[in-house]
Amino acid sequence: MERTILHCDMNSFYASVECMCNPSISDKPVAVGGSEEKRTGIILAKNQIAKKYNVKTGETLWQARQKCPHLIVVPPDFKKYIHFSKMASKIYNNYTNLVESFGFDECWLDVTGTEHLFGNGEAVAETIRKRIKSELGITCSIGVSFNKVFAKLGSDMKKPDAVTLITKKNYKSKVWPLPVEDLLFVGKVTKQKLNRYGIKTIGDLARTDFKHLETLLGKWGYYLWGYANGLDASPVRDIENHADIKSIGNSITAPRDLMTINDIKIILYKMAESVTERLRENNLMCATVQLWVKDNELKSYERQAKLIVPCAETRELFNTALALYLKNHKTGKPVRALGVRAHNLLPSGSYQLSLDPEINKIRKREQLEETIDAIRQRFGHHSIQRCITLTDTGLSNINPKDEHTVHPIAWPVN
Ligand SMILES: [Mg+2]
């Protein structure tokens, strides 16, 4: 059966929420970003008006000010964004239980087979678009298609406040003329590689022999060729249904460049803490930790290491991630974004009792953290904090962005 997938993307999310909560700035250029006094502050989001001044996400406040001297900069308030994100999820859940989030502001919905209740995909998308606008006071763009990759592409095509339909009939005329980097997972490096071989558009990619792409990009070449041809068959993952979680990770772009090892420690700790909290919530532990680092020149790398013993304990994950950082961050360049991910997951409790005192310490700390989880559930996350995270509240006030594994996308091979 042909599927009906929606991808909802709330426009300029952080900036829209700030303007919604403070209407006196909504007709001015607004950006959400790091500290202004420190010249290292970075733009995390901007509204439509700031966009007209060519203010870009990821650049420094100082650069943005050159283009737009009267830019209003608001510090990020992640509690507010999570609240709006939850309100949106409640709306989505009225139409399907198959909702997969992709950051705070984006979600895929599988609404296949709901026509008799809510109308076709386009009709559901229109209903959701209008509800987000009237109930949250912000706009969203929605792509409707027969797979996730094209639905995501559709939500990017018309912004803000719009619905775009990509069907099996129109994808060649609508999608193929677009630049190849518009396709999900085609990053800067892949784009450059493809461009070098004359592959400039998604159509060029679709028409290239996939064997040639495989020699160029490995197995990703084959996947991307499939996406370009509308053959993505990956399911919308119901995150609640965690039976098949493959990894749990958090990554964030810091509100300012991370200059010192203490900055790095604060962020790594926050992320390790949130990853292990989610592991415990899902009754899982992990055997491997992966660190992802992006420096201020937007160069990134990933490294992973095995834990002494599979666990869901913050300090063990933190220590391993920090050791990876110290071993691999040889350039010493300031860091813009960091991620920690737990891999090789297994059910918690599936370990043998150990006589090793080191391992016993880890198990004891794990029990302590379960108690902390219970306190936090009752009195709120901020009711109990680790000292290190209080040394720079500007950094530790962030909430890591939840990320779930992007599963390898499969499609029927003829
Ligand atoms: Mg968005």
Side-chain angles (χ1 to χ4, degrees):
M1 180 165 66
E2 186 170 320
R3 297 182 299 159
T4 310
I5 314 271
L6 271 51
H7 182 262
C8 304
D9 185 352
M10 290 187 272
N11 307 121
S12 317
F13 183 54
Y14 300 168
S16 303
V17 170
E18 294 301 340
C19 291
M20 167 65 200
C21 296
N22 180 5
S24 70
I25 58 169
S26 61
D27 58 345
K28 302 188 175 76
V30 175
V32 174
S35 154
E36 182 115 43
E37 300 86 63
K38 295 167 193 152
R39 276 164 52 106
T40 45
I42 289 156
I43 304 281
L44 299 175
K46 72 272 164 192
N47 69 355
Q48 290 297 325
I49 306 170
K51 222 173 260 180
K52 285 193 189 126
Y53 288 89
N54 204 19
V55 170
K56 292 202 171 100
T57 302
E59 68 185 1
T60 61
L61 293 187
W62 179 79
Q63 285 169 314
R65 283 232 176 275
Q66 306 260 307
K67 293 181 265 187
C68 181
H70 50 297
L71 183 69
I72 294 172
V73 180
V74 186
D77 177 351
F78 288 92
K79 258 193 215 148
K80 233 191 267 169
Y81 310 148
I82 289 170
H83 178 67
F84 272 77
S85 184
K86 281 190 180 150
M87 286 200 290
S89 292
K90 266 194 192 151
I91 295 179
Y92 303 149
N93 279 314
N94 287 163
Y95 303 95
T96 172
N97 60 344
L98 286 175
V99 179
E100 177 180 341
S101 64
F102 194 60
F104 287 140
D105 60 330
E106 297 181 29
C107 270
W108 278 287
L109 283 68
D110 187 336
V111 296
T112 311
T114 63
E115 287 85 354
H116 60 295
L117 291 170
F118 310 116
N120 62 17
E122 211 177 355
V124 185
E126 278 298 340
T127 311
I128 292 177
R129 181 186 67 77
K130 286 180 194 150
R131 281 192 65 185
I132 297 268
K133 202 171 177 180
S134 69
E135 293 172 36
L136 273 65
I138 63 177
T139 62
C140 68
S141 296
I142 305 180
V144 184
S145 193
F146 53 94
N147 66 54
K148 280 165 78 180
V149 171
F150 283 177
K152 164 117 176 112
L153 197 69
S155 71
D156 276 335
M157 284 176 77
K158 238 186 281 161
K159 287 197 268 198
D161 199 18
V163 170
T164 303
L165 186 65
I166 298 175
T167 64
K168 282 193 171 166
K169 277 195 186 120
N170 74 11
Y171 77 90
K172 287 186 186 169
S173 61
K174 262 194 163 155
V175 171
W176 281 12
L178 296 172
V180 71
E181 64 270 26
D182 282 6
L183 197 64
L184 188 63
F185 305 121
V186 176
K188 224 169 152 188
V189 178
T190 308
K191 169 201 146 98
Q192 280 168 358
K193 266 192 198 166
L194 292 170
N195 283 177
R196 229 177 288 145
Y197 286 86
I199 301 164
K200 300 257 161 75
T201 66
I202 298 177
D204 292 341
L205 180 68
R207 285 181 295 254
T208 307
D209 184 349
F210 69 78
K211 286 194 191 101
H212 175 54
L213 293 166
E214 262 180 340
T215 41
L216 214 62
L217 304 165
K219 74 170 193 304
W220 267 107
Y222 184 56
Y223 286 141
L224 292 179
W225 173 85
Y227 301 155
N229 280 294
L231 298 170
D232 159 37
S234 63
V236 171
R237 303 266 163 184
D238 172 9
I239 303 296
E240 300 298 303
N241 167 18
H242 35 68
D244 53 5
I245 292 180
K246 293 264 166 38
S247 75
I248 286 180
N250 283 137
S251 72
I252 61 134
T253 298
R256 63 171 170 81
D257 278 350
L258 307 174
M259 313 292 282
T260 67
I261 190 67
N262 200 50
D263 289 348
I264 299 285
K265 280 183 183 168
I266 293 172
I267 298 287
L268 281 184
Y269 196 89
K270 284 297 274 189
M271 282 189 296
E273 194 177 42
S274 119
V275 167
T276 54
E277 198 176 331
R278 283 161 58 211
L279 283 170
R280 293 190 299 272
E281 206 178 284
N282 290 294
N283 294 320
L284 292 167
M285 51 187 191
C286 70
T288 312
V289 170
Q290 185 182 54
L291 172 78
W292 171 79
V293 180
K294 187 193 263 178
D295 68 24
N296 66 339
E297 285 170 12
L298 308 183
K299 286 211 179 77
S300 62
Y301 61 86
E302 272 171 14
R303 294 289 182 277
Q304 58 176 46
K306 267 196 144 154
L307 300 175
I308 305 175
V309 63
C311 69
E313 193 263 315
T314 307
R315 197 176 323 168
E316 180 57 17
L317 262 77
F318 167 77
N319 285 341
T320 311
L322 183 64
L324 280 170
Y325 176 83
L326 293 171
K327 193 172 153 202
N328 293 291
H329 201 72
K330 295 284 183 222
T331 62
K333 289 210 176 100
V335 170
R336 188 149 297 183
L338 272 177
V340 171
R341 181 171 288 282
H343 281 284
N344 292 332
L345 309 186
L346 51 168
S348 55
S350 56
Y351 53 80
Q352 294 185 325
L353 290 174
S354 166
L355 294 175
D356 182 332
E358 257 316 296
I359 294 176
N360 282 333
K361 267 190 216 158
I362 293 173
R363 296 288 171 232
K364 281 218 173 104
R365 289 201 300 259
E366 215 165 37
Q367 281 169 8
L368 176 68
E369 290 192 331
E370 277 168 20
T371 311
I372 294 174
D373 291 344
I375 294 173
R376 283 178 164 170
Q377 257 168 26
R378 228 174 126 188
F379 301 106
H381 185 85
H382 292 280
S383 59
I384 182 160
Q385 294 292 319
R386 181 72 65 165
C387 282
I388 184 173
T389 66
L390 299 174
T391 54
D392 183 332
T393 45
L395 281 182
S396 58
N397 233 346
I398 51 160
N399 268 301
K401 174 167 168 170
D402 287 1
E403 278 187 352
H404 293 271
T405 308
V406 178
H407 290 257
I409 297 184
W411 60 88
V413 180
N414 304 327

